[in-house]
Amino acid sequence: MTAPIAVYPGSFDPWTFGHTDILERSVRLFSRVVVALGVHPTRTPLFNAEERLELLAQVCGSYPNVAIEKFDGLLVDFARSVGATVIVRGLRSAADFDYETQMTAANADLCPEVDTVFLPAKLGNQFVSASLVREVARHGKDVSRYAPKAVVEALQRKYAR
Ligand code: PNS
């Protein structure tokens, strides 16, 4: 049986090593992984959608079975449009679990044929989040332990202004 296609959605504002860990494990589990940049109409991100897509291309572009796409509607509609039957989400904490189970229930209600799989953050990554990376970088501290070089440099450029 061929492994299913998965969508790995997120805001990725910015991408961190936590995301890298989840992606690297996902590519071993699924035949193809679509990294899906969700664009919230009401949120003001640090990096706009084009900047995040550019960063995604730099940090995920070299995986052979990974595609990068942007979506601005419902996640389940996007998943269906790319033939994915699995949504991958990383879990760091009990707080994540509460939020993610709600989102999973909503997505399952909207589209029962697309299932959600949770991958636990690897040990040492439980506190690594995009908001932590933004906050630490905003105060001029080194975030190279938390995010790839391309992201670290983009943050330096952003906060140098
Ligand atoms: O990195 P994030 O902010 O946790 O990613 C959230 C994202 C983009 C996956 C989520 O907000 C999302 O799926 N948005 C699309 C709208 C949607 O389908 N919402 C869930 C059902 S109401």
Side-chain angles (χ1 to χ4, degrees):
M1 203 175 86
T2 321
I5 298 173
V7 165
Y8 179 35
S11 305
F12 307 125
D13 186 34
W15 183 271
T16 71
F17 284 142
H19 298 126
T20 304
D21 170 50
I22 300 296
L23 180 66
E24 287 184 346
R25 287 153 64 199
S26 300
V27 296
R28 294 199 296 267
L29 292 169
F30 303 104
S31 60
R32 179 175 160 81
V33 179
V34 181
V35 174
L37 175 67
V39 180
H40 289 264
T42 54
R43 259 194 225 166
T44 309
L46 177 62
F47 292 100
N48 66 35
E50 284 63 39
E51 290 171 323
R52 281 177 287 160
L53 281 174
E54 174 61 37
L55 285 173
L56 289 177
Q58 292 181 52
V59 298
C60 320
S62 58
Y63 296 89
N65 58 340
V66 169
I68 299 161
E69 303 232 13
K70 178 175 92 166
F71 74 102
D72 54 14
L74 285 177
L75 175 57
V76 287
D77 289 339
F78 174 78
R80 257 196 294 239
S81 75
V82 294
T85 51
V86 176
I87 293 167
V88 175
R89 293 288 287 173
L91 278 190
R92 289 164 305 192
S93 63
D96 272 1
F97 181 80
D98 275 356
Y99 170 71
E100 295 297 335
T101 46
Q102 298 266 348
M103 200 159 81
T104 296
N107 286 333
D109 192 60
L110 291 165
C111 183
E113 65 272 21
V114 174
D115 215 337
T116 299
V117 166
F118 296 148
L119 292 180
K122 82 168 180 198
L123 215 62
N125 267 359
Q126 283 102 339
F127 67 98
V128 177
S129 66
S131 56
L132 168 123
V133 167
R134 288 196 304 268
E135 188 68 9
V136 174
R138 189 164 68 85
H139 290 95
K141 298 277 188 221
D142 176 32
V143 289
S144 56
R145 289 197 307 289
Y146 311 132
K149 193 161 175 268
V151 171
V152 174
E153 290 173 355
L155 284 161
Q156 283 166 349
R157 286 193 298 274
K158 185 71 71 179
Y159 286 124
R161 279 178 210 154

